[in-house]
Structure formats: C-alpha cells, structure tokens
Amino acid sequence: GIQVEQSPPDLILQEGANSTLRCNFSDSVNNLQWFHQNPWGQLINLFYIPSGTKQNGRLSATTVATERYSLLYISSSQTTDSGVYFCAVVPKGGSEKLVFGKGTKLTVNP
Amino acid sequence: NAGVTQTPKFQVLKTGQSMTLQCAQDMNHEYMSWYRQDPGMGLRLIHYSVGAGITDQGEVPNGYNVSRSTTEDFPLRLLSAAPSQTSVYFCASSHRREQFFGPGTRLTVL
C-alpha cells in the first residue's frame, strides 16, 4: 500500500520562528489533507490540498502531486501552534480511505 | 451544525466486556469511517461505510463490528474487549473527499 512519510518527526521552536513540515507519499493520490492534533487530542482540519497552494492566516500549504510531496509552512509560530501535525492521503482508486503519516510533533516555546 | 459527535468521551472496560461506541453526524455525509490512534502513531482505519446499508473493512478490522442503518449514525461495536484495543477512537465523515473528525473516545481495557 501507499507509504506516507513525514519529516521531521520532532521540531522545537521559539515563539515567532518559521517552520516547514514535509510529507512525502509513494503513489498517486486523490486527496491530501493536513491536520493539527492539539494537546487535548482534537483533530483540526487545516487544509484539503490534493494539488496547488493554499493559505490560511499564518499557515500555508503546497502540494506538488507530480513529485509526490506536500509542504506545510507555519510562520511567526505561537505557543498555540504546539501539537502534532498529520498529513493524510487517499490513494487513487482507494475510495475515501485516508492513510496517515506518523506526524510531526511541534513544540513552540515562549 | 454539531458536526461529528462521539459518545462516550472516556470508557474503561474489563477484558471480555462488550460495548458500543456511538458516532453521529448531521451534515448528511454519505461516507463515514472509524479510526484508532495508538501512542506515537497516526490513525489507522478500522471500518468504513459509503452509505446506509453498506460497510467494509479497513486496515485493522479484527475485533470490531459496524453497521449503518441510517445516514446519520455509524456505531462501532466491541464484542469482547481485549487489552490490545486500548486506544483512542475517532469517527469521521466526509464531503467531496474532505474528511472531518469527531472529538474521539479514549478507551482503556483492563
């Protein structure tokens, strides 16, 4: 089956710093989503981005489907950005079954 | 809209007990699914449904049953709980391939 690899596994930042999270996937996809799991365990939709670039406030994401990767940019990070960021894909021909990466754990220190 | 709701939030079971985790959505989504999340890992698909009366197995279906009698509800049943089923369970529904998750149920099996 499709492999989803996220890097780095852990990231520690000072408040105000910028960061880039990467998601590589091993096969063609119909869907790619980024989620933020906050310290209370809630999964929050950040982006639905099978291709192209989207921005939402301090966050933006780019997916280059032909090269099988996606990037999540966080600018001017805040302590509330802490948590785990997951990339998840739906393989082509895979109905709507999401396959998750193992996540990047982000800690933003004040 | 309440979105995707799950009950209970927390549950402790003894080995061999049975229980049902409830999931409901009020967005009229056809696709619903159940995932489990274990420490340090992403979410893994247990079962999914593409519409009322239709269910299928995901990546880790053993020990779990589902049914889908209405569009709104998608309960997950544990017939004989085992310690290996200690996990956090998430229900999701999707619209045009973007998936939305409930708040999760934290289950401990002693």
Side-chain angles (χ1 to χ4, degrees), chain A residues 30-31 33 35 37 40-43 45 47-48 86 90 94-103, chain B residues 31 35 37 40-45 48 50 57-58 90 94-103:
Chain A
N30 283 330
N31 172 18
Q33 289 185 246
F35 296 91
Q37 188 168 40
W40 295 270
Q42 187 180 9
L43 277 166
N45 286 36
F47 294 102
Y48 167 70
F86 288 105
V90 173
S95 180
E96 295 183 51
K97 294 182 279 187
L98 274 175
V99 177
F100 280 75
K102 293 188 176 180
Chain B
Y31 185 88
Y35 293 82
Q37 184 180 26
M41 298 185 69
L43 281 68
R44 293 182 294 169
L45 182 65
Y48 66 98
V50 299
Q57 296 181 351
F90 289 95
S94 73
H95 173 66
R96 295 182 182 177
R97 296 179 174 167
E98 183 175 6
Q99 296 207 23
F100 299 87
F101 283 81

Short mmCIF file of all heavy atoms in Angstrom, two decimals, chain A residues 30-31 33 35 37 40-43 45 47-48 86 90 94-103, chain B residues 31 35 37 40-45 48 50 57-58 90 94-103:
data_model
loop_
_atom_site.label_atom_id
_atom_site.label_comp_id
_atom_site.label_asym_id
_atom_site.label_seq_id
_atom_site.Cartn_x
_atom_site.Cartn_y
_atom_site.Cartn_z
N ASN A 30 -5.69 10.94 -4.63
CA ASN A 30 -6.88 11.72 -4.96
C ASN A 30 -7.08 12.88 -4.00
O ASN A 30 -7.77 13.84 -4.32
CB ASN A 30 -8.14 10.85 -4.91
CG ASN A 30 -8.27 9.95 -6.12
OD1 ASN A 30 -7.81 10.30 -7.21
ND2 ASN A 30 -8.89 8.80 -5.94
N ASN A 31 -6.54 12.73 -2.80
CA ASN A 31 -6.82 13.69 -1.75
C ASN A 31 -5.60 13.77 -0.85
O ASN A 31 -4.92 12.77 -0.62
CB ASN A 31 -8.04 13.21 -0.94
CG ASN A 31 -8.30 14.03 0.30
OD1 ASN A 31 -7.82 15.14 0.44
ND2 ASN A 31 -9.09 13.49 1.21
N GLN A 33 -4.76 15.81 2.94
CA GLN A 33 -5.20 16.73 3.98
C GLN A 33 -4.10 16.89 5.02
O GLN A 33 -3.35 15.95 5.31
CB GLN A 33 -6.47 16.23 4.69
CG GLN A 33 -7.72 16.30 3.82
CD GLN A 33 -8.97 15.91 4.57
OE1 GLN A 33 -9.60 14.88 4.27
NE2 GLN A 33 -9.37 16.72 5.55
N PHE A 35 -3.74 17.98 9.09
CA PHE A 35 -4.50 18.13 10.33
C PHE A 35 -3.55 18.58 11.43
O PHE A 35 -2.36 18.25 11.44
CB PHE A 35 -5.11 16.79 10.78
CG PHE A 35 -6.12 16.21 9.84
CD1 PHE A 35 -5.73 15.32 8.85
CD2 PHE A 35 -7.47 16.52 9.97
CE1 PHE A 35 -6.66 14.75 7.99
CE2 PHE A 35 -8.41 15.95 9.12
CZ PHE A 35 -8.00 15.08 8.13
N GLN A 37 -3.36 18.10 15.50
CA GLN A 37 -3.92 17.49 16.70
C GLN A 37 -3.42 18.28 17.90
O GLN A 37 -2.22 18.28 18.20
CB GLN A 37 -3.56 16.03 16.83
CG GLN A 37 -4.29 15.33 17.97
CD GLN A 37 -4.17 13.82 17.93
OE1 GLN A 37 -3.12 13.28 17.64
NE2 GLN A 37 -5.26 13.12 18.25
N TRP A 40 -5.11 18.54 23.50
CA TRP A 40 -6.30 17.89 24.06
C TRP A 40 -6.77 16.72 23.18
O TRP A 40 -7.76 16.09 23.47
CB TRP A 40 -7.42 18.91 24.23
CG TRP A 40 -7.05 19.95 25.24
CD1 TRP A 40 -7.27 19.94 26.58
CD2 TRP A 40 -6.35 21.16 24.97
NE1 TRP A 40 -6.74 21.07 27.15
CE2 TRP A 40 -6.17 21.84 26.20
CE3 TRP A 40 -5.83 21.76 23.80
CZ2 TRP A 40 -5.51 23.07 26.30
CZ3 TRP A 40 -5.18 22.98 23.90
CH2 TRP A 40 -5.03 23.61 25.13
N GLY A 41 -6.05 16.47 22.11
CA GLY A 41 -6.35 15.32 21.27
C GLY A 41 -7.29 15.59 20.10
O GLY A 41 -7.55 14.70 19.30
N GLN A 42 -7.80 16.80 20.00
CA GLN A 42 -8.74 17.11 18.94
C GLN A 42 -8.03 17.25 17.59
O GLN A 42 -6.96 17.87 17.51
CB GLN A 42 -9.45 18.43 19.27
CG GLN A 42 -10.58 18.79 18.34
CD GLN A 42 -11.24 20.09 18.74
OE1 GLN A 42 -10.76 20.80 19.63
NE2 GLN A 42 -12.33 20.42 18.11
N LEU A 43 -8.62 16.66 16.54
CA LEU A 43 -8.07 16.76 15.19
C LEU A 43 -8.75 17.90 14.45
O LEU A 43 -9.96 17.88 14.24
CB LEU A 43 -8.31 15.45 14.43
CG LEU A 43 -7.32 14.33 14.67
CD1 LEU A 43 -7.87 13.04 14.13
CD2 LEU A 43 -5.97 14.64 14.05
N ASN A 45 -9.01 20.22 11.05
CA ASN A 45 -8.68 20.31 9.63
C ASN A 45 -7.93 21.61 9.34
O ASN A 45 -8.41 22.69 9.69
CB ASN A 45 -9.95 20.30 8.79
CG ASN A 45 -10.60 18.94 8.73
OD1 ASN A 45 -10.59 18.21 9.69
ND2 ASN A 45 -11.16 18.62 7.58
N PHE A 47 -5.92 21.95 6.00
CA PHE A 47 -6.02 22.11 4.55
C PHE A 47 -6.47 20.82 3.90
O PHE A 47 -6.08 19.74 4.30
CB PHE A 47 -4.67 22.51 3.95
CG PHE A 47 -4.16 23.85 4.35
CD1 PHE A 47 -3.16 23.95 5.31
CD2 PHE A 47 -4.67 25.01 3.78
CE1 PHE A 47 -2.69 25.19 5.70
CE2 PHE A 47 -4.20 26.24 4.17
CZ PHE A 47 -3.21 26.34 5.13
N TYR A 48 -7.34 21.00 2.89
CA TYR A 48 -7.63 19.95 1.93
C TYR A 48 -6.91 20.39 0.66
O TYR A 48 -7.30 21.39 0.04
CB TYR A 48 -9.13 19.81 1.71
CG TYR A 48 -9.50 18.97 0.52
CD1 TYR A 48 -9.30 17.59 0.53
CD2 TYR A 48 -10.06 19.54 -0.63
CE1 TYR A 48 -9.63 16.82 -0.56
CE2 TYR A 48 -10.39 18.77 -1.72
CZ TYR A 48 -10.18 17.40 -1.68
OH TYR A 48 -10.51 16.64 -2.77
N PHE A 86 -0.43 16.14 11.24
CA PHE A 86 -0.55 14.93 10.43
C PHE A 86 -0.85 15.28 8.98
O PHE A 86 -1.67 16.16 8.69
CB PHE A 86 -1.68 14.03 10.94
CG PHE A 86 -1.39 13.34 12.24
CD1 PHE A 86 -1.97 13.76 13.41
CD2 PHE A 86 -0.52 12.25 12.27
CE1 PHE A 86 -1.71 13.12 14.61
CE2 PHE A 86 -0.24 11.60 13.47
CZ PHE A 86 -0.83 12.05 14.64
N VAL A 90 -5.50 10.03 0.38
CA VAL A 90 -6.36 8.99 -0.17
C VAL A 90 -5.72 8.54 -1.48
O VAL A 90 -5.62 9.32 -2.42
CB VAL A 90 -7.79 9.50 -0.44
CG1 VAL A 90 -8.60 8.43 -1.17
CG2 VAL A 90 -8.46 9.88 0.85
N GLY A 94 -8.68 4.42 -4.16
CA GLY A 94 -8.81 3.95 -2.78
C GLY A 94 -10.06 4.43 -2.08
O GLY A 94 -10.03 4.62 -0.88
N SER A 95 -11.14 4.62 -2.81
CA SER A 95 -12.38 5.13 -2.22
C SER A 95 -12.04 6.44 -1.51
O SER A 95 -11.42 7.30 -2.08
CB SER A 95 -12.97 4.09 -1.28
OG SER A 95 -14.16 4.56 -0.69
N GLU A 96 -12.46 6.58 -0.24
CA GLU A 96 -12.10 7.77 0.51
C GLU A 96 -11.30 7.40 1.74
O GLU A 96 -11.29 8.12 2.73
CB GLU A 96 -13.36 8.55 0.88
CG GLU A 96 -14.07 9.11 -0.34
CD GLU A 96 -15.27 9.95 0.00
OE1 GLU A 96 -15.16 10.86 0.82
OE2 GLU A 96 -16.34 9.67 -0.57
N LYS A 97 -10.60 6.28 1.69
CA LYS A 97 -9.88 5.80 2.85
C LYS A 97 -8.58 6.57 3.04
O LYS A 97 -7.65 6.48 2.26
CB LYS A 97 -9.57 4.30 2.67
CG LYS A 97 -10.81 3.44 2.67
CD LYS A 97 -10.48 1.97 2.54
CE LYS A 97 -10.21 1.60 1.10
NZ LYS A 97 -10.05 0.13 0.95
N LEU A 98 -8.53 7.32 4.14
CA LEU A 98 -7.34 8.11 4.44
C LEU A 98 -6.23 7.23 4.99
O LEU A 98 -6.47 6.38 5.85
CB LEU A 98 -7.66 9.18 5.48
CG LEU A 98 -8.22 10.52 5.01
CD1 LEU A 98 -8.58 11.38 6.21
CD2 LEU A 98 -7.25 11.24 4.12
N VAL A 99 -5.01 7.47 4.52
CA VAL A 99 -3.81 6.83 5.06
C VAL A 99 -2.97 7.94 5.69
O VAL A 99 -2.60 8.90 5.01
CB VAL A 99 -3.02 6.09 3.97
CG1 VAL A 99 -1.75 5.49 4.57
CG2 VAL A 99 -3.88 5.01 3.32
N PHE A 100 -2.67 7.77 6.98
CA PHE A 100 -1.98 8.81 7.73
C PHE A 100 -0.48 8.57 7.81
O PHE A 100 -0.02 7.42 7.88
CB PHE A 100 -2.51 8.86 9.17
CG PHE A 100 -3.80 9.58 9.33
CD1 PHE A 100 -5.00 9.00 8.94
CD2 PHE A 100 -3.83 10.86 9.87
CE1 PHE A 100 -6.20 9.68 9.08
CE2 PHE A 100 -5.03 11.53 10.02
CZ PHE A 100 -6.21 10.95 9.62
N GLY A 101 0.28 9.67 7.82
CA GLY A 101 1.66 9.61 8.24
C GLY A 101 1.72 9.54 9.76
O GLY A 101 0.69 9.61 10.45
N LYS A 102 2.93 9.41 10.30
CA LYS A 102 3.08 9.28 11.75
C LYS A 102 3.14 10.62 12.45
O LYS A 102 3.16 10.68 13.68
CB LYS A 102 4.32 8.46 12.08
CG LYS A 102 4.17 7.01 11.66
CD LYS A 102 5.32 6.15 12.15
CE LYS A 102 5.05 4.69 11.78
NZ LYS A 102 6.14 3.79 12.24
N GLY A 103 3.17 11.70 11.69
CA GLY A 103 3.06 13.02 12.29
C GLY A 103 4.38 13.69 12.60
O GLY A 103 5.43 13.04 12.69
N TYR B 31 -20.21 9.19 3.38
CA TYR B 31 -19.06 8.40 3.79
C TYR B 31 -18.76 8.63 5.27
O TYR B 31 -18.65 9.78 5.71
CB TYR B 31 -17.83 8.77 2.95
CG TYR B 31 -16.62 7.92 3.23
CD1 TYR B 31 -16.40 6.74 2.54
CD2 TYR B 31 -15.67 8.31 4.17
CE1 TYR B 31 -15.29 5.96 2.77
CE2 TYR B 31 -14.56 7.53 4.41
CZ TYR B 31 -14.36 6.36 3.71
OH TYR B 31 -13.25 5.58 3.94
N TYR B 35 -11.47 5.19 12.98
CA TYR B 35 -10.03 5.04 13.07
C TYR B 35 -9.66 4.81 14.54
O TYR B 35 -10.36 5.23 15.45
CB TYR B 35 -9.32 6.31 12.59
CG TYR B 35 -9.47 6.61 11.14
CD1 TYR B 35 -10.61 7.26 10.66
CD2 TYR B 35 -8.48 6.28 10.22
CE1 TYR B 35 -10.75 7.55 9.31
CE2 TYR B 35 -8.62 6.57 8.87
CZ TYR B 35 -9.75 7.20 8.43
OH TYR B 35 -9.89 7.49 7.09
N GLN B 37 -6.19 5.40 17.13
CA GLN B 37 -4.89 6.05 17.24
C GLN B 37 -4.17 5.51 18.45
O GLN B 37 -4.65 5.62 19.58
CB GLN B 37 -5.02 7.57 17.35
CG GLN B 37 -3.66 8.27 17.37
CD GLN B 37 -3.78 9.76 17.48
OE1 GLN B 37 -4.75 10.30 18.00
NE2 GLN B 37 -2.77 10.47 16.96
N GLY B 40 2.16 7.53 19.55
CA GLY B 40 3.26 7.72 18.61
C GLY B 40 2.94 7.35 17.18
O GLY B 40 3.84 7.30 16.34
N MET B 41 1.67 7.10 16.92
CA MET B 41 1.31 6.68 15.56
C MET B 41 0.22 7.58 15.00
O MET B 41 -0.49 8.27 15.72
CB MET B 41 0.83 5.24 15.58
CG MET B 41 1.88 4.24 16.05
SD MET B 41 1.31 2.56 15.91
CE MET B 41 1.27 2.38 14.15
N GLY B 42 0.11 7.52 13.70
CA GLY B 42 -1.02 8.16 13.05
C GLY B 42 -2.27 7.31 13.24
O GLY B 42 -2.26 6.31 13.94
N LEU B 43 -3.34 7.72 12.59
CA LEU B 43 -4.59 6.99 12.71
C LEU B 43 -4.64 5.84 11.71
O LEU B 43 -4.14 5.97 10.59
CB LEU B 43 -5.77 7.94 12.44
CG LEU B 43 -6.17 8.86 13.60
CD1 LEU B 43 -5.12 9.91 13.88
CD2 LEU B 43 -7.51 9.50 13.30
N ARG B 44 -5.25 4.74 12.12
CA ARG B 44 -5.42 3.59 11.24
C ARG B 44 -6.90 3.26 11.08
O ARG B 44 -7.65 3.26 12.05
CB ARG B 44 -4.66 2.37 11.80
CG ARG B 44 -3.15 2.53 11.79
CD ARG B 44 -2.46 1.29 12.32
NE ARG B 44 -2.75 1.08 13.74
CZ ARG B 44 -2.46 -0.03 14.40
NH1 ARG B 44 -1.91 -1.06 13.76
NH2 ARG B 44 -2.72 -0.15 15.69
N LEU B 45 -7.29 2.95 9.86
CA LEU B 45 -8.69 2.75 9.53
C LEU B 45 -9.18 1.38 10.01
O LEU B 45 -8.57 0.35 9.72
CB LEU B 45 -8.87 2.86 8.01
CG LEU B 45 -10.28 2.72 7.47
CD1 LEU B 45 -11.17 3.86 7.97
CD2 LEU B 45 -10.25 2.69 5.95
N TYR B 48 -15.27 1.27 7.43
CA TYR B 48 -15.84 2.45 6.80
C TYR B 48 -17.16 2.09 6.13
O TYR B 48 -17.49 0.90 5.95
CB TYR B 48 -14.87 3.06 5.79
CG TYR B 48 -14.57 2.21 4.58
CD1 TYR B 48 -15.24 2.42 3.38
CD2 TYR B 48 -13.60 1.21 4.64
CE1 TYR B 48 -14.95 1.64 2.27
CE2 TYR B 48 -13.31 0.43 3.53
CZ TYR B 48 -13.99 0.65 2.34
OH TYR B 48 -13.71 -0.12 1.25
N VAL B 50 -19.82 3.62 2.88
CA VAL B 50 -20.03 4.58 1.79
C VAL B 50 -21.49 5.01 1.70
O VAL B 50 -21.85 5.81 0.84
CB VAL B 50 -19.56 4.03 0.44
CG1 VAL B 50 -18.06 3.73 0.49
CG2 VAL B 50 -20.34 2.79 0.04
N GLN B 57 -14.36 -3.35 5.47
CA GLN B 57 -13.25 -3.38 6.41
C GLN B 57 -12.13 -2.46 5.98
O GLN B 57 -11.87 -2.25 4.79
CB GLN B 57 -12.70 -4.81 6.51
CG GLN B 57 -13.69 -5.80 7.07
CD GLN B 57 -13.10 -7.20 7.17
OE1 GLN B 57 -12.02 -7.47 6.66
NE2 GLN B 57 -13.82 -8.09 7.83
N GLY B 58 -11.45 -1.91 6.99
CA GLY B 58 -10.27 -1.13 6.74
C GLY B 58 -9.02 -1.92 7.02
O GLY B 58 -8.97 -3.14 6.81
N PHE B 90 -11.49 7.48 16.79
CA PHE B 90 -12.04 8.64 16.11
C PHE B 90 -13.01 8.19 15.03
O PHE B 90 -12.73 7.26 14.27
CB PHE B 90 -10.94 9.47 15.46
CG PHE B 90 -10.08 10.21 16.42
CD1 PHE B 90 -8.88 9.68 16.87
CD2 PHE B 90 -10.45 11.47 16.89
CE1 PHE B 90 -8.07 10.37 17.76
CE2 PHE B 90 -9.65 12.17 17.78
CZ PHE B 90 -8.46 11.61 18.21
N SER B 94 -17.20 12.41 5.58
CA SER B 94 -16.57 13.20 4.53
C SER B 94 -17.57 13.71 3.50
O SER B 94 -18.62 13.11 3.25
CB SER B 94 -15.48 12.39 3.82
OG SER B 94 -16.05 11.41 2.99
N HIS B 95 -17.17 14.84 2.97
CA HIS B 95 -17.94 15.51 1.92
C HIS B 95 -16.97 15.86 0.81
O HIS B 95 -16.00 16.59 1.05
CB HIS B 95 -18.59 16.77 2.47
CG HIS B 95 -19.25 17.61 1.43
ND1 HIS B 95 -20.35 17.19 0.73
CD2 HIS B 95 -18.94 18.84 0.93
CE1 HIS B 95 -20.71 18.12 -0.13
NE2 HIS B 95 -19.88 19.14 -0.03
N ARG B 96 -17.24 15.33 -0.39
CA ARG B 96 -16.36 15.61 -1.54
C ARG B 96 -14.91 15.37 -1.16
O ARG B 96 -14.04 16.19 -1.45
CB ARG B 96 -16.56 17.04 -2.03
CG ARG B 96 -17.93 17.28 -2.58
CD ARG B 96 -18.10 18.71 -3.10
NE ARG B 96 -19.45 18.93 -3.60
CZ ARG B 96 -19.88 20.10 -4.05
NH1 ARG B 96 -19.06 21.13 -4.09
NH2 ARG B 96 -21.11 20.23 -4.48
N ARG B 97 -14.66 14.26 -0.48
CA ARG B 97 -13.32 13.77 -0.16
C ARG B 97 -12.65 14.47 1.00
O ARG B 97 -11.64 13.98 1.49
CB ARG B 97 -12.41 13.79 -1.39
CG ARG B 97 -12.87 12.86 -2.49
CD ARG B 97 -11.96 12.91 -3.68
NE ARG B 97 -12.35 11.92 -4.67
CZ ARG B 97 -11.90 11.90 -5.91
NH1 ARG B 97 -11.03 12.79 -6.32
NH2 ARG B 97 -12.29 10.96 -6.75
N GLU B 98 -13.15 15.61 1.50
CA GLU B 98 -12.54 16.20 2.68
C GLU B 98 -13.18 15.58 3.91
O GLU B 98 -14.40 15.61 4.07
CB GLU B 98 -12.71 17.72 2.70
CG GLU B 98 -12.03 18.35 3.89
CD GLU B 98 -12.08 19.86 3.86
OE1 GLU B 98 -12.73 20.42 2.97
OE2 GLU B 98 -11.44 20.49 4.75
N GLN B 99 -12.35 15.04 4.80
CA GLN B 99 -12.87 14.33 5.96
C GLN B 99 -12.83 15.22 7.20
O GLN B 99 -11.90 16.00 7.40
CB GLN B 99 -12.09 13.04 6.20
CG GLN B 99 -12.26 12.07 5.05
CD GLN B 99 -12.09 10.62 5.43
OE1 GLN B 99 -12.24 10.24 6.58
NE2 GLN B 99 -11.78 9.80 4.45
N PHE B 100 -13.84 15.02 8.05
CA PHE B 100 -13.99 15.78 9.28
C PHE B 100 -14.10 14.78 10.44
O PHE B 100 -14.86 13.82 10.34
CB PHE B 100 -15.24 16.66 9.23
CG PHE B 100 -15.20 17.67 8.12
CD1 PHE B 100 -15.64 17.35 6.85
CD2 PHE B 100 -14.68 18.94 8.33
CE1 PHE B 100 -15.59 18.26 5.81
CE2 PHE B 100 -14.63 19.87 7.31
CZ PHE B 100 -15.08 19.52 6.04
N PHE B 101 -13.37 15.07 11.51
CA PHE B 101 -13.29 14.11 12.60
C PHE B 101 -14.06 14.55 13.83
O PHE B 101 -14.18 15.76 14.12
CB PHE B 101 -11.81 13.90 12.99
CG PHE B 101 -11.09 13.02 12.01
CD1 PHE B 101 -10.60 13.53 10.82
CD2 PHE B 101 -10.90 11.67 12.27
CE1 PHE B 101 -9.95 12.71 9.91
CE2 PHE B 101 -10.24 10.85 11.37
CZ PHE B 101 -9.77 11.38 10.19
N GLY B 102 -14.57 13.56 14.56
CA GLY B 102 -15.18 13.80 15.85
C GLY B 102 -14.11 14.00 16.92
O GLY B 102 -12.91 13.88 16.65
N PRO B 103 -14.54 14.26 18.17
CA PRO B 103 -13.59 14.58 19.25
C PRO B 103 -12.87 13.37 19.82
O PRO B 103 -11.91 13.52 20.56
CB PRO B 103 -14.48 15.23 20.31
CG PRO B 103 -15.82 14.64 20.06
CD PRO B 103 -15.93 14.44 18.59
#
